[in-house]
Amino acid sequence: SEDYERVVSRLRRAETLRDKAANSKGTNADKHAKRLAKAEDERAAVAAEVARRHTMPTMITSVVFLMLWKILGSEHHGKIVAVLPFQPFGFLQRLTLKGLDISEEVLNLPRTAVANARGEMVVPVSAVSQACSFAFIYVLCSLSVKFVVNKLLSKKPP
């Protein structure tokens, strides 16, 4: 927004004034120190204003993603939502299997989705590590959504 751009330009101007005050060589050291302190204080105040403008949207986004995590996580808990075409590394495998209830029934199924004893459609996997939980898909999606939104809005902190 226009208001945000104004604050960012004030920050850049305050940083320029601070740099000029730091590089200037005056005859009076006391006057130089006061000018530098004033420039530092102004820059700190404007930097705090910019940080404040980034804090609220970030907090709101975090709350929305947390609510989405709870709602979708309860819906997909214990279910295989995807089958990976590879077997992930150990550190990644803990995330891909998080919250899954893997049973022998799932491993011995044919290669197409079939109904289990409770009537739910399950996707068979050839190896336990190929199963993918909701948590992994959610993390990938949330990271990409945050990246795309930041690119579209082009709001980068100065």
Side-chain angles (χ1 to χ4, degrees):
S1 72
E2 196 174 295
D3 194 33
Y4 175 77
E5 296 298 328
R6 196 174 318 123
V7 173
V8 170
S9 68
R10 280 181 43 210
L11 177 63
R12 289 193 180 112
R13 190 173 33 229
E15 288 174 345
T16 304
L17 289 174
R18 181 201 57 190
D19 292 342
K20 284 182 181 179
N23 292 334
S24 69
K25 301 291 183 198
T27 57
N28 191 345
D30 191 35
K31 189 175 180 182
H32 175 70
K34 285 182 183 179
R35 185 183 307 154
L36 184 59
K38 182 180 176 184
E40 284 288 341
D41 290 344
E42 184 178 341
R43 188 205 130 335
V46 176
E49 176 68 20
V50 171
R52 186 184 66 79
R53 291 180 188 268
H54 281 279
T55 303
M56 187 56 88
T58 302
M59 194 179 331
I60 290 171
T61 303
S62 298
V63 168
V64 168
F65 275 110
L66 185 63
M67 288 178 4
L68 193 61
W69 168 267
K70 286 294 189 182
I71 292 168
L72 293 175
S74 66
E75 181 71 27
H76 298 289
H77 182 73
K79 297 178 186 172
I80 298 173
V81 295
V83 177
L84 299 174
F86 59 91
Q87 292 187 2
F89 300 112
F91 67 91
L92 189 61
Q93 188 173 353
R94 289 201 332 240
L95 181 61
T96 61
L97 296 176
K98 183 173 177 57
L100 286 182
D101 300 326
I102 301 289
S103 63
E104 281 299 315
E105 169 190 342
V106 173
L107 291 173
N108 294 326
L109 291 173
R111 293 285 164 234
T112 60
V114 295
N116 65 3
R118 294 181 299 219
E120 298 172 332
M121 295 302 287
V122 293
V123 179
V125 293
S126 58
V128 174
S129 61
Q130 284 185 298
C132 184
S133 70
F134 162 74
F136 183 69
I137 300 295
Y138 180 82
V139 167
L140 288 178
C141 291
S142 66
L143 290 175
S144 64
V145 165
K146 287 179 184 179
F147 175 76
V148 168
V149 167
N150 285 337
K151 273 290 201 195
L152 288 177
L153 297 177
S154 67
K155 298 287 184 184
K156 293 176 246 161

